[in-house]
């Protein structure tokens, strides 16, 4: 029957799309390195500044071409507010918040995390282009939310 043929055709289109989308997911994960940030650990929000690595916020080298940027968020700013990293090095951002939920998004990159009290957020990024990038809070966190930003300087 004619209807039957159409149904088969639509099922075929659906199957092809499913395979394409699954392939796109695998490509994004394996080839492009797109991951959910996940929970990288826990920290007592009342003792963040006494708990390593958050007792020394800032950028440090962890190996050849590898750096870690430790950042503490608080209404309404990031500590440190200027983050200097070299180009073409893998920078692991380790961040948390000492008060409410904040966002952590770096303009023109795929860096996009939520900072949740009690949890450590971690994600790595390699800046290929030198210049200044804006780090913004993109979770509404109070009256000064729109002023909450920092600068990432890639040199
Ligand atoms: Cu912090 Cu919005």
């Amino acid at each position: 029957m004619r209807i039957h043929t159409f149904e088969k055709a639509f099922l075929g289109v659906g199957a092809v799309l499913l395979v394409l989308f699954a392939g796109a997911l695998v490509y994004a994960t394996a080839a492009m390195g797109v991951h959910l940030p996940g929970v990288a650990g826990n920290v007592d929000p009342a003792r963040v500044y006494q708990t390593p690595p958050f007792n020394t916020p800032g950028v440090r080298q962890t190996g050849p071409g590898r750096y870690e940027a430790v950042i503490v968020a608080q209404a309404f700013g990031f500590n440190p507010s200027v983050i200097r990293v070299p180009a073409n090095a893998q920078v692991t951002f380790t961040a948390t918040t000492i008060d409410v939920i904040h966002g952590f998004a770096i303009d023109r990159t795929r860096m996009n995390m939520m900072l949740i009290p009690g949890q450590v957020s971690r994600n790595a990024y390699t800046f290929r282009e030198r210049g200044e990038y804006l780090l913004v809070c993109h979770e509404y966190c109070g009256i000064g939310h729109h002023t909450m930003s920092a600068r990432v300087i890639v040199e």
Side-chain angles (χ1 to χ4, degrees):
M1 271 208 324
R2 218 179 201 106
I3 299 276
H4 193 115
T5 316
F6 282 141
E7 280 181 331
K8 260 187 168 168
F10 280 124
L11 279 174
V13 170
V16 168
L17 284 178
L18 274 179
V19 170
L20 276 179
F21 292 151
L25 267 181
V26 170
Y27 179 77
T29 314
M32 296 173 67
V34 177
H35 301 285
L36 285 176
V39 178
N42 298 296
V43 58
D44 179 352
R47 295 187 46 81
V48 167
Y49 278 116
Q50 287 82 50
T51 311
F54 299 107
N55 53 348
T56 52
V59 179
R60 65 189 124 264
Q61 188 159 12
T62 55
R66 286 175 175 267
Y67 292 80
E68 181 179 40
V70 175
I71 295 154
V72 178
Q74 173 179 14
F76 300 99
F78 295 95
N79 179 15
S81 60
V82 177
I83 299 139
R84 289 178 187 276
V85 295
N88 297 311
Q90 182 179 302
V91 181
T92 300
F93 290 91
T94 302
T96 192
T97 163
I98 65 170
D99 45 32
V100 296
I101 291 180
H102 295 283
F104 187 106
I106 303 178
D107 188 33
R108 291 160 26 227
T109 73
R110 60 162 172 74
M111 280 296 308
N112 184 332
M113 305 194 290
M114 261 178 111
L115 308 182
I116 300 167
Q119 294 189 359
V120 177
S121 300
R122 184 172 286 135
N123 205 350
Y125 190 76
T126 302
F127 295 89
R128 298 293 177 197
E129 282 178 34
R130 278 162 233 276
E132 194 171 310
Y133 295 72
L134 191 62
L135 161 60
V136 294
C137 172
H138 64 320
E139 295 284 346
Y140 182 73
C141 54
I143 194 82
H145 160 71
H146 61 289
T147 66
M148 185 166 170
S149 69
R151 292 185 299 151
V152 179
I153 297 169
V154 180
E155 48 197 11

